[in-house]
mmCIF file with all atom_site columns, all heavy atoms in Angstrom:
data_model
loop_
_atom_site.group_PDB
_atom_site.id
_atom_site.type_symbol
_atom_site.label_atom_id
_atom_site.label_alt_id
_atom_site.label_comp_id
_atom_site.label_asym_id
_atom_site.label_entity_id
_atom_site.label_seq_id
_atom_site.pdbx_PDB_ins_code
_atom_site.Cartn_x
_atom_site.Cartn_y
_atom_site.Cartn_z
_atom_site.occupancy
_atom_site.B_iso_or_equiv
_atom_site.pdbx_formal_charge
_atom_site.auth_seq_id
_atom_site.auth_comp_id
_atom_site.auth_asym_id
_atom_site.auth_atom_id
_atom_site.pdbx_PDB_model_num
ATOM 1   N N   . GLN A 1 96  ? -8.819  1.245  5.572  1.00 0.00 ? 96  GLN A N   1
ATOM 2   C CA  . GLN A 1 96  ? -9.357  1.123  6.926  1.00 0.00 ? 96  GLN A CA  1
ATOM 3   C C   . GLN A 1 96  ? -9.122  -0.276 7.466  1.00 0.00 ? 96  GLN A C   1
ATOM 4   O O   . GLN A 1 96  ? -8.737  -0.459 8.616  1.00 0.00 ? 96  GLN A O   1
ATOM 5   C CB  . GLN A 1 96  ? -10.856 1.454  6.882  1.00 0.00 ? 96  GLN A CB  1
ATOM 6   C CG  . GLN A 1 96  ? -11.507 1.599  8.234  1.00 0.00 ? 96  GLN A CG  1
ATOM 7   C CD  . GLN A 1 96  ? -10.837 2.647  9.109  1.00 0.00 ? 96  GLN A CD  1
ATOM 8   O OE1 . GLN A 1 96  ? -10.406 3.675  8.628  1.00 0.00 ? 96  GLN A OE1 1
ATOM 9   N NE2 . GLN A 1 96  ? -10.713 2.357  10.403 1.00 0.00 ? 96  GLN A NE2 1
ATOM 10  N N   . LEU A 1 97  ? -9.312  -1.267 6.592  1.00 0.00 ? 97  LEU A N   1
ATOM 11  C CA  . LEU A 1 97  ? -9.092  -2.671 6.991  1.00 0.00 ? 97  LEU A CA  1
ATOM 12  C C   . LEU A 1 97  ? -7.639  -2.855 7.426  1.00 0.00 ? 97  LEU A C   1
ATOM 13  O O   . LEU A 1 97  ? -7.333  -3.502 8.406  1.00 0.00 ? 97  LEU A O   1
ATOM 14  C CB  . LEU A 1 97  ? -9.413  -3.560 5.794  1.00 0.00 ? 97  LEU A CB  1
ATOM 15  C CG  . LEU A 1 97  ? -9.900  -4.983 6.057  1.00 0.00 ? 97  LEU A CG  1
ATOM 16  C CD1 . LEU A 1 97  ? -11.090 -4.992 6.972  1.00 0.00 ? 97  LEU A CD1 1
ATOM 17  C CD2 . LEU A 1 97  ? -10.266 -5.662 4.733  1.00 0.00 ? 97  LEU A CD2 1
ATOM 18  N N   . TRP A 1 98  ? -6.747  -2.256 6.659  1.00 0.00 ? 98  TRP A N   1
ATOM 19  C CA  . TRP A 1 98  ? -5.307  -2.374 6.914  1.00 0.00 ? 98  TRP A CA  1
ATOM 20  C C   . TRP A 1 98  ? -4.911  -1.635 8.189  1.00 0.00 ? 98  TRP A C   1
ATOM 21  O O   . TRP A 1 98  ? -3.976  -2.025 8.881  1.00 0.00 ? 98  TRP A O   1
ATOM 22  C CB  . TRP A 1 98  ? -4.544  -1.841 5.702  1.00 0.00 ? 98  TRP A CB  1
ATOM 23  C CG  . TRP A 1 98  ? -3.047  -1.858 5.764  1.00 0.00 ? 98  TRP A CG  1
ATOM 24  C CD1 . TRP A 1 98  ? -2.221  -0.865 5.330  1.00 0.00 ? 98  TRP A CD1 1
ATOM 25  C CD2 . TRP A 1 98  ? -2.184  -2.901 6.219  1.00 0.00 ? 98  TRP A CD2 1
ATOM 26  N NE1 . TRP A 1 98  ? -0.910  -1.223 5.510  1.00 0.00 ? 98  TRP A NE1 1
ATOM 27  C CE2 . TRP A 1 98  ? -0.857  -2.462 6.058  1.00 0.00 ? 98  TRP A CE2 1
ATOM 28  C CE3 . TRP A 1 98  ? -2.390  -4.154 6.778  1.00 0.00 ? 98  TRP A CE3 1
ATOM 29  C CZ2 . TRP A 1 98  ? 0.252   -3.233 6.417  1.00 0.00 ? 98  TRP A CZ2 1
ATOM 30  C CZ3 . TRP A 1 98  ? -1.297  -4.916 7.148  1.00 0.00 ? 98  TRP A CZ3 1
ATOM 31  C CH2 . TRP A 1 98  ? -0.003  -4.463 6.968  1.00 0.00 ? 98  TRP A CH2 1
ATOM 32  N N   . SER A 1 99  ? -5.667  -0.579 8.520  1.00 0.00 ? 99  SER A N   1
ATOM 33  C CA  . SER A 1 99  ? -5.270  0.212  9.692  1.00 0.00 ? 99  SER A CA  1
ATOM 34  C C   . SER A 1 99  ? -5.514  -0.547 10.998 1.00 0.00 ? 99  SER A C   1
ATOM 35  O O   . SER A 1 99  ? -5.089  -0.098 12.063 1.00 0.00 ? 99  SER A O   1
ATOM 36  C CB  . SER A 1 99  ? -5.966  1.574  9.718  1.00 0.00 ? 99  SER A CB  1
ATOM 37  O OG  . SER A 1 99  ? -7.338  1.398  9.904  1.00 0.00 ? 99  SER A OG  1
ATOM 38  N N   . LEU A 1 100 ? -6.171  -1.729 10.926 1.00 0.00 ? 100 LEU A N   1
ATOM 39  C CA  . LEU A 1 100 ? -6.300  -2.560 12.135 1.00 0.00 ? 100 LEU A CA  1
ATOM 40  C C   . LEU A 1 100 ? -4.905  -2.880 12.678 1.00 0.00 ? 100 LEU A C   1
ATOM 41  O O   . LEU A 1 100 ? -4.691  -2.911 13.898 1.00 0.00 ? 100 LEU A O   1
ATOM 42  C CB  . LEU A 1 100 ? -7.038  -3.867 11.786 1.00 0.00 ? 100 LEU A CB  1
ATOM 43  C CG  . LEU A 1 100 ? -7.109  -4.876 12.921 1.00 0.00 ? 100 LEU A CG  1
ATOM 44  C CD1 . LEU A 1 100 ? -7.967  -4.344 14.068 1.00 0.00 ? 100 LEU A CD1 1
ATOM 45  C CD2 . LEU A 1 100 ? -7.674  -6.199 12.448 1.00 0.00 ? 100 LEU A CD2 1
ATOM 46  N N   . TYR A 1 101 ? -3.968  -3.083 11.757 1.00 0.00 ? 101 TYR A N   1
ATOM 47  C CA  . TYR A 1 101 ? -2.605  -3.432 12.177 1.00 0.00 ? 101 TYR A CA  1
ATOM 48  C C   . TYR A 1 101 ? -1.886  -2.206 12.759 1.00 0.00 ? 101 TYR A C   1
ATOM 49  O O   . TYR A 1 101 ? -1.022  -2.342 13.608 1.00 0.00 ? 101 TYR A O   1
ATOM 50  C CB  . TYR A 1 101 ? -1.820  -4.034 11.002 1.00 0.00 ? 101 TYR A CB  1
ATOM 51  C CG  . TYR A 1 101 ? -2.396  -5.372 10.617 1.00 0.00 ? 101 TYR A CG  1
ATOM 52  C CD1 . TYR A 1 101 ? -3.408  -5.477 9.680  1.00 0.00 ? 101 TYR A CD1 1
ATOM 53  C CD2 . TYR A 1 101 ? -1.954  -6.536 11.233 1.00 0.00 ? 101 TYR A CD2 1
ATOM 54  C CE1 . TYR A 1 101 ? -3.979  -6.697 9.365  1.00 0.00 ? 101 TYR A CE1 1
ATOM 55  C CE2 . TYR A 1 101 ? -2.519  -7.762 10.918 1.00 0.00 ? 101 TYR A CE2 1
ATOM 56  C CZ  . TYR A 1 101 ? -3.528  -7.832 9.980  1.00 0.00 ? 101 TYR A CZ  1
ATOM 57  O OH  . TYR A 1 101 ? -4.086  -9.040 9.684  1.00 0.00 ? 101 TYR A OH  1
ATOM 58  N N   . GLU A 1 102 ? -2.266  -1.046 12.274 1.00 0.00 ? 102 GLU A N   1
ATOM 59  C CA  . GLU A 1 102 ? -1.710  0.190  12.840 1.00 0.00 ? 102 GLU A CA  1
ATOM 60  C C   . GLU A 1 102 ? -2.197  0.335  14.290 1.00 0.00 ? 102 GLU A C   1
ATOM 61  O O   . GLU A 1 102 ? -1.424  0.675  15.189 1.00 0.00 ? 102 GLU A O   1
ATOM 62  C CB  . GLU A 1 102 ? -2.190  1.367  11.989 1.00 0.00 ? 102 GLU A CB  1
ATOM 63  C CG  . GLU A 1 102 ? -1.553  2.691  12.339 1.00 0.00 ? 102 GLU A CG  1
ATOM 64  C CD  . GLU A 1 102 ? -2.054  3.819  11.436 1.00 0.00 ? 102 GLU A CD  1
ATOM 65  O OE1 . GLU A 1 102 ? -3.111  3.666  10.807 1.00 0.00 ? 102 GLU A OE1 1
ATOM 66  O OE2 . GLU A 1 102 ? -1.375  4.852  11.375 1.00 0.00 ? 102 GLU A OE2 1
ATOM 67  N N   . VAL A 1 103 ? -3.491  0.022  14.489 1.00 0.00 ? 103 VAL A N   1
ATOM 68  C CA  . VAL A 1 103 ? -4.069  0.065  15.836 1.00 0.00 ? 103 VAL A CA  1
ATOM 69  C C   . VAL A 1 103 ? -3.362  -0.962 16.732 1.00 0.00 ? 103 VAL A C   1
ATOM 70  O O   . VAL A 1 103 ? -3.005  -0.670 17.880 1.00 0.00 ? 103 VAL A O   1
ATOM 71  C CB  . VAL A 1 103 ? -5.593  -0.208 15.768 1.00 0.00 ? 103 VAL A CB  1
ATOM 72  C CG1 . VAL A 1 103 ? -6.171  -0.419 17.152 1.00 0.00 ? 103 VAL A CG1 1
ATOM 73  C CG2 . VAL A 1 103 ? -6.295  0.943  15.089 1.00 0.00 ? 103 VAL A CG2 1
ATOM 74  N N   . ASP A 1 104 ? -3.145  -2.158 16.188 1.00 0.00 ? 104 ASP A N   1
ATOM 75  C CA  . ASP A 1 104 ? -2.453  -3.200 16.973 1.00 0.00 ? 104 ASP A CA  1
ATOM 76  C C   . ASP A 1 104 ? -1.043  -2.751 17.344 1.00 0.00 ? 104 ASP A C   1
ATOM 77  O O   . ASP A 1 104 ? -0.558  -3.016 18.444 1.00 0.00 ? 104 ASP A O   1
ATOM 78  C CB  . ASP A 1 104 ? -2.394  -4.514 16.180 1.00 0.00 ? 104 ASP A CB  1
ATOM 79  C CG  . ASP A 1 104 ? -3.732  -5.231 16.211 1.00 0.00 ? 104 ASP A CG  1
ATOM 80  O OD1 . ASP A 1 104 ? -4.580  -4.832 17.031 1.00 0.00 ? 104 ASP A OD1 1
ATOM 81  O OD2 . ASP A 1 104 ? -3.929  -6.174 15.421 1.00 0.00 ? 104 ASP A OD2 1
ATOM 82  N N   . ASN A 1 105 ? -0.369  -2.087 16.412 1.00 0.00 ? 105 ASN A N   1
ATOM 83  C CA  . ASN A 1 105 ? 0.981   -1.584 16.697 1.00 0.00 ? 105 ASN A CA  1
ATOM 84  C C   . ASN A 1 105 ? 0.958   -0.574 17.836 1.00 0.00 ? 105 ASN A C   1
ATOM 85  O O   . ASN A 1 105 ? 1.827   -0.577 18.703 1.00 0.00 ? 105 ASN A O   1
ATOM 86  C CB  . ASN A 1 105 ? 1.578   -0.919 15.458 1.00 0.00 ? 105 ASN A CB  1
ATOM 87  C CG  . ASN A 1 105 ? 2.090   -1.940 14.456 1.00 0.00 ? 105 ASN A CG  1
ATOM 88  O OD1 . ASN A 1 105 ? 2.068   -3.133 14.735 1.00 0.00 ? 105 ASN A OD1 1
ATOM 89  N ND2 . ASN A 1 105 ? 2.533   -1.491 13.308 1.00 0.00 ? 105 ASN A ND2 1
ATOM 90  N N   . LEU A 1 106 ? -0.057  0.282  17.791 1.00 0.00 ? 106 LEU A N   1
ATOM 91  C CA  . LEU A 1 106 ? -0.190  1.285  18.855 1.00 0.00 ? 106 LEU A CA  1
ATOM 92  C C   . LEU A 1 106 ? -0.369  0.609  20.205 1.00 0.00 ? 106 LEU A C   1
ATOM 93  O O   . LEU A 1 106 ? 0.253   0.991  21.202 1.00 0.00 ? 106 LEU A O   1
ATOM 94  C CB  . LEU A 1 106 ? -1.410  2.158  18.575 1.00 0.00 ? 106 LEU A CB  1
ATOM 95  C CG  . LEU A 1 106 ? -1.156  3.481  17.891 1.00 0.00 ? 106 LEU A CG  1
ATOM 96  C CD1 . LEU A 1 106 ? -2.466  4.179  17.619 1.00 0.00 ? 106 LEU A CD1 1
ATOM 97  C CD2 . LEU A 1 106 ? -0.313  4.361  18.803 1.00 0.00 ? 106 LEU A CD2 1
ATOM 98  N N   . LYS A 1 107 ? -1.229  -0.434 20.209 1.00 0.00 ? 107 LYS A N   1
ATOM 99  C CA  . LYS A 1 107 ? -1.494  -1.140 21.470 1.00 0.00 ? 107 LYS A CA  1
ATOM 100 C C   . LYS A 1 107 ? -0.210  -1.794 21.971 1.00 0.00 ? 107 LYS A C   1
ATOM 101 O O   . LYS A 1 107 ? 0.104   -1.720 23.166 1.00 0.00 ? 107 LYS A O   1
ATOM 102 C CB  . LYS A 1 107 ? -2.563  -2.211 21.239 1.00 0.00 ? 107 LYS A CB  1
ATOM 103 C CG  . LYS A 1 107 ? -3.946  -1.662 21.049 1.00 0.00 ? 107 LYS A CG  1
ATOM 104 C CD  . LYS A 1 107 ? -4.901  -2.845 21.129 1.00 0.00 ? 107 LYS A CD  1
ATOM 105 C CE  . LYS A 1 107 ? -6.140  -2.646 20.350 1.00 0.00 ? 107 LYS A CE  1
ATOM 106 N NZ  . LYS A 1 107 ? -6.890  -3.885 20.156 1.00 0.00 ? 107 LYS A NZ  1
ATOM 107 N N   . ALA A 1 108 ? 0.523   -2.430 21.052 1.00 0.00 ? 108 ALA A N   1
ATOM 108 C CA  . ALA A 1 108 ? 1.771   -3.094 21.456 1.00 0.00 ? 108 ALA A CA  1
ATOM 109 C C   . ALA A 1 108 ? 2.764   -2.071 22.013 1.00 0.00 ? 108 ALA A C   1
ATOM 110 O O   . ALA A 1 108 ? 3.469   -2.343 22.998 1.00 0.00 ? 108 ALA A O   1
ATOM 111 C CB  . ALA A 1 108 ? 2.371   -3.834 20.265 1.00 0.00 ? 108 ALA A CB  1
ATOM 112 N N   . THR A 1 109 ? 2.797   -0.904 21.402 1.00 0.00 ? 109 THR A N   1
ATOM 113 C CA  . THR A 1 109 ? 3.725   0.131  21.868 1.00 0.00 ? 109 THR A CA  1
ATOM 114 C C   . THR A 1 109 ? 3.321   0.633  23.252 1.00 0.00 ? 109 THR A C   1
ATOM 115 O O   . THR A 1 109 ? 4.174   0.819  24.126 1.00 0.00 ? 109 THR A O   1
ATOM 116 C CB  . THR A 1 109 ? 3.754   1.298  20.853 1.00 0.00 ? 109 THR A CB  1
ATOM 117 O OG1 . THR A 1 109 ? 4.046   0.753  19.568 1.00 0.00 ? 109 THR A OG1 1
ATOM 118 C CG2 . THR A 1 109 ? 4.794   2.328  21.207 1.00 0.00 ? 109 THR A CG2 1
ATOM 119 N N   . LEU A 1 110 ? 2.023   0.836  23.436 1.00 0.00 ? 110 LEU A N   1
ATOM 120 C CA  . LEU A 1 110 ? 1.554   1.308  24.755 1.00 0.00 ? 110 LEU A CA  1
ATOM 121 C C   . LEU A 1 110 ? 1.907   0.278  25.832 1.00 0.00 ? 110 LEU A C   1
ATOM 122 O O   . LEU A 1 110 ? 2.344   0.638  26.923 1.00 0.00 ? 110 LEU A O   1
ATOM 123 C CB  . LEU A 1 110 ? 0.039   1.545  24.723 1.00 0.00 ? 110 LEU A CB  1
ATOM 124 C CG  . LEU A 1 110 ? -0.428  2.731  23.863 1.00 0.00 ? 110 LEU A CG  1
ATOM 125 C CD1 . LEU A 1 110 ? -1.945  2.774  23.769 1.00 0.00 ? 110 LEU A CD1 1
ATOM 126 C CD2 . LEU A 1 110 ? 0.078   4.053  24.429 1.00 0.00 ? 110 LEU A CD2 1
ATOM 127 N N   . ARG A 1 111 ? 1.756   -1.011 25.477 1.00 0.00 ? 111 ARG A N   1
ATOM 128 C CA  . ARG A 1 111 ? 2.120   -2.058 26.451 1.00 0.00 ? 111 ARG A CA  1
ATOM 129 C C   . ARG A 1 111 ? 3.617   -2.024 26.726 1.00 0.00 ? 111 ARG A C   1
ATOM 130 O O   . ARG A 1 111 ? 4.060   -2.206 27.854 1.00 0.00 ? 111 ARG A O   1
ATOM 131 C CB  . ARG A 1 111 ? 1.720   -3.440 25.910 1.00 0.00 ? 111 ARG A CB  1
ATOM 132 C CG  . ARG A 1 111 ? 0.253   -3.703 26.126 1.00 0.00 ? 111 ARG A CG  1
ATOM 133 C CD  . ARG A 1 111 ? -0.171  -5.010 25.508 1.00 0.00 ? 111 ARG A CD  1
ATOM 134 N NE  . ARG A 1 111 ? -1.502  -4.868 24.948 1.00 0.00 ? 111 ARG A NE  1
ATOM 135 C CZ  . ARG A 1 111 ? -2.004  -5.602 23.985 1.00 0.00 ? 111 ARG A CZ  1
ATOM 136 N NH1 . ARG A 1 111 ? -1.263  -6.532 23.430 1.00 0.00 ? 111 ARG A NH1 1
ATOM 137 N NH2 . ARG A 1 111 ? -3.222  -5.407 23.544 1.00 0.00 ? 111 ARG A NH2 1
ATOM 138 N N   . GLY A 1 112 ? 4.386   -1.794 25.655 1.00 0.00 ? 112 GLY A N   1
ATOM 139 C CA  . GLY A 1 112 ? 5.838   -1.706 25.808 1.00 0.00 ? 112 GLY A CA  1
ATOM 140 C C   . GLY A 1 112 ? 6.220   -0.583 26.763 1.00 0.00 ? 112 GLY A C   1
ATOM 141 O O   . GLY A 1 112 ? 7.092   -0.750 27.624 1.00 0.00 ? 112 GLY A O   1
#
Side-chain angles (χ1 to χ4, degrees):
Chain A
Q96 190 56 37
L97 208 54
W98 179 222
S99 67
L100 174 66
Y101 292 89
E102 188 179 19
V103 170
D104 283 347
N105 282 356
L106 263 177
K107 287 191 208 166
T109 306
L110 291 173
R111 279 176 217 156

